[in-house]
Amino acid sequence: MSSSCSESDSPHRDFSARSSDDLSDVDSFMKPETDNSPQSLEINSSLEGLQSAEQRNVLNIVDQLRQCGLESTLSLLQLVVCGDQSADKSSVLEALTEISFPRNDNLTREIILRRATSDVITVKVISDNERPAEERAPIEDFKESISDFEELPSLIDKATALMGLKNTSAFKSRAFAKDVLSIEIGERSRLQLTLVDLPGLVQTEIKGVTEEDVQLVTEIIDHYISQPRTICLAVISATNDYANQGILKKVRKVDPEGDRTLGIIIKPDRLPRGSGSEQAFLGLARNEDIFFKLDWHVLKNRSYEEGSNSFEQRNFSETMYFRKSNFFTLSKEYVGITSLRNRLSQLLFDHVKQELPKLRKDLEEAFTETQLLLAAMSTSRATP
């Protein structure tokens, strides 16, 4: 199946032209060829068992549906990273991927992690459908690949300039955009995962951010987290009372039973040892205060002083912290970046298995509806 949509086709033609292939690919995942491997569709505790060819196939289908603009038509399977603007969500993405991303908290980023035969990063932009056609054309034409990870910041700068997030001769600069920056990372030993990183929630107007910007960010976040197939990864910083972090109120509003939210607490090392605030966050991590069925996870990311540390040093520092701090009382599966990677891979695999039949049904219904609409349009044109 092609990995891109025709830019010239209308949304209806895009969908009708691709749906048969998409549905057959979904079929192949749901009914894989019989093999003797226990990892074909079984839930396995190892990362290798979760990263099967079938899972890669279906994740690619979902990515392609989103990149064709069908995310606005269908509720897609996705893990969404959300948090207040001051929550430092980027540190979580960096720890998960071990790639230093530029700190862009004013846009939506789709991070696609895939195994590949060679190391390559591909960057493109999924344009906002509400943009004027003359603005969409150069944005949709943009697609560049690199093999040197150090070139990623400059490549992202080029993309964000096209989106109008930097002063250019083409567009007036804006603080936020509805476009999606898509970053696909392929490596030989890469885990397979797709994360959608949302702009940080802005509580009020600040310098350079207008009331309209605040409303736009709210609309973007609400759009993603309200979708029934979205798993929300709500990032909470221990440097601020969690009762004051607006993202918790938002996810609890759209997911009142906590069925599809996993809370992530960062910067626990900033809490005074033995303090009341440390006890409060320990209670939160134990799922005793705000209850999520997917539970909570705690990470210790690099401090300001550790900013130049390698990822290996970062991971060692985190391991030592959870051995010596009061957070050592938490189960090992709920702390640290390695266990979070495994939890997310397991979570996504379970989610795919549960939701895939429903997604197929939605695809079939949308495909049938589009065919009927095209037939009606054709009949209308033929009538004198």
Side-chain angles (χ1 to χ4, degrees), residues 153-351:
S154 60
L155 187 54
I156 290 178
D157 282 344
K158 290 175 65 175
T160 54
L162 277 174
M163 297 161 67
L165 297 176
K166 295 181 180 294
N167 288 316
T168 67
S169 58
F171 309 125
K172 180 180 177 181
S173 179
R174 57 178 73 182
F176 298 90
K178 283 187 175 181
D179 312 291
V180 178
L181 179 66
S182 176
I183 306 172
E184 182 168 353
I185 302 165
E187 286 186 294
R188 294 178 180 86
S189 58
R190 174 65 59 182
L191 83 163
Q192 295 170 170
L193 198 63
T194 299
L195 299 168
V196 179
D197 178 38
L198 301 182
L201 178 63
V202 184
Q203 304 282 6
T204 186
E205 298 173 54
I206 56 176
K207 184 178 180 180
V209 177
T210 66
E211 182 180 350
E212 289 75 18
D213 293 328
V214 173
Q215 182 59 35
L216 175 61
V217 172
T218 298
E219 290 176 3
I220 293 172
I221 294 174
D222 288 347
H223 169 71
Y224 278 93
I225 68 175
S226 62
Q227 296 181 38
R229 293 193 181 109
T230 290
I231 292 178
C232 302
L233 308 179
V235 179
I236 307 300
S237 173
T239 58
N240 185 15
D241 187 337
Y242 57 83
N244 297 328
Q245 300 189 49
I247 197 63
L248 284 179
K249 181 178 180 181
K250 282 196 167 293
V251 295
R252 294 175 76 186
K253 181 178 180 180
V254 298
D255 183 26
E257 302 300 320
D259 292 317
R260 52 184 186 85
T261 302
L262 187 153
I264 300 176
I265 299 171
I266 63 172
K267 302 183 180 179
D269 52 308
R270 300 284 293 276
L271 295 166
R273 188 180 181 94
S275 65
S277 55
E278 184 186 56
Q279 290 303 312
F281 274 97
L282 276 167
L284 187 68
R286 295 189 188 106
N287 221 5
E288 294 171 354
D289 188 351
I290 298 175
F291 178 79
F292 293 142
K293 291 181 181 177
L294 300 182
D295 223 305
W296 288 82
H297 202 96
V298 187
L299 297 177
K300 179 208 172 291
N301 292 319
R302 287 179 287 201
S303 64
Y304 176 79
E305 295 77 16
E306 298 171 330
S308 61
N309 284 4
S310 67
F311 286 109
E312 183 178 10
Q313 291 170 321
R314 175 239 173 259
N315 296 345
F316 177 78
S317 175
E318 180 182 61
T319 299
M320 296 307 296
Y321 173 78
F322 286 121
R323 286 181 183 175
K324 297 180 178 180
S325 73
N326 287 333
F327 283 81
F328 84 93
T329 57
L330 301 177
S331 171
K332 290 183 179 180
E333 64 181 300
Y334 296 120
V335 299
I337 194 61
T338 300
S339 57
L340 180 61
R341 288 195 195 103
N342 288 327
R343 284 186 74 183
L344 293 183
S345 295
Q346 180 79 64
L347 184 59
L348 183 58
F349 192 55
D350 291 347
H351 191 48

Side-chain angles (χ1 to χ4, degrees), residues 3 11 14 16 21 48 53 56 66 91-92 102 113 116 126 145 163 195 217 250 258 306 337 360 365 375:
S3 61
D14 284 343
S16 60
D21 287 341
E48 288 294 326
R56 180 174 65 249
R66 183 183 295 108
S91 66
V92 177
L113 308 177
I126 307 169
S145 297
M163 297 161 67
L195 299 168
V217 172
K250 282 196 167 293
E306 298 171 330
I337 194 61
R360 175 185 167 79
E365 291 176 353

Side-chain angles (χ1 to χ4, degrees), residues 53-189:
E54 289 87 1
Q55 185 184 7
R56 180 174 65 249
N57 185 33
V58 78
L59 290 178
N60 287 340
I61 293 171
V62 174
D63 294 340
Q64 290 160 17
L65 290 174
R66 183 183 295 108
Q67 290 169 11
C68 288
L70 294 179
E71 184 269 336
S72 60
T73 303
L74 298 167
S75 175
L76 300 180
L77 308 160
Q78 55 193 353
L79 300 180
V80 167
V81 183
C82 54
D84 288 27
Q85 193 170 51
S86 60
D88 194 18
K89 296 184 290 80
S90 293
S91 66
V92 177
L93 287 176
E94 287 183 356
L96 278 170
T97 63
E98 297 196 342
I99 295 172
S100 296
F101 290 103
R103 300 299 176 99
N104 301 104
D105 206 27
N106 59 343
L107 52 81
T108 302
R109 298 184 293 186
E110 177 189 54
I111 313 297
I112 302 171
L113 308 177
R114 294 291 184 271
R115 287 188 187 152
T117 55
S118 59
D119 296 351
V120 63
I121 299 179
T122 301
V123 175
K124 56 186 174 181
V125 181
I126 307 169
S127 67
D128 173 18
N129 289 332
E130 297 178 2
R131 277 187 181 271
E134 62 272 17
E135 290 186 10
R136 291 183 61 186
I139 292 174
E140 293 174 349
D141 286 341
F142 178 81
K143 180 179 180 181
E144 293 192 20
S145 297
I146 55 175
S147 56
D148 184 352
F149 282 40
E150 292 185 1
E151 297 177 19
L152 181 59
S154 60
L155 187 54
I156 290 178
D157 282 344
K158 290 175 65 175
T160 54
L162 277 174
M163 297 161 67
L165 297 176
K166 295 181 180 294
N167 288 316
T168 67
S169 58
F171 309 125
K172 180 180 177 181
S173 179
R174 57 178 73 182
F176 298 90
K178 283 187 175 181
D179 312 291
V180 178
L181 179 66
S182 176
I183 306 172
E184 182 168 353
I185 302 165
E187 286 186 294
R188 294 178 180 86
S189 58

Side-chain angles (χ1 to χ4, degrees), residues 37-56:
S37 170
Q39 68 183 42
S40 59
L41 271 180
E42 291 180 10
I43 298 175
N44 191 302
S45 60
S46 72
L47 188 58
E48 288 294 326
L50 296 170
Q51 302 298 309
S52 63
E54 289 87 1
Q55 185 184 7
R56 180 174 65 249

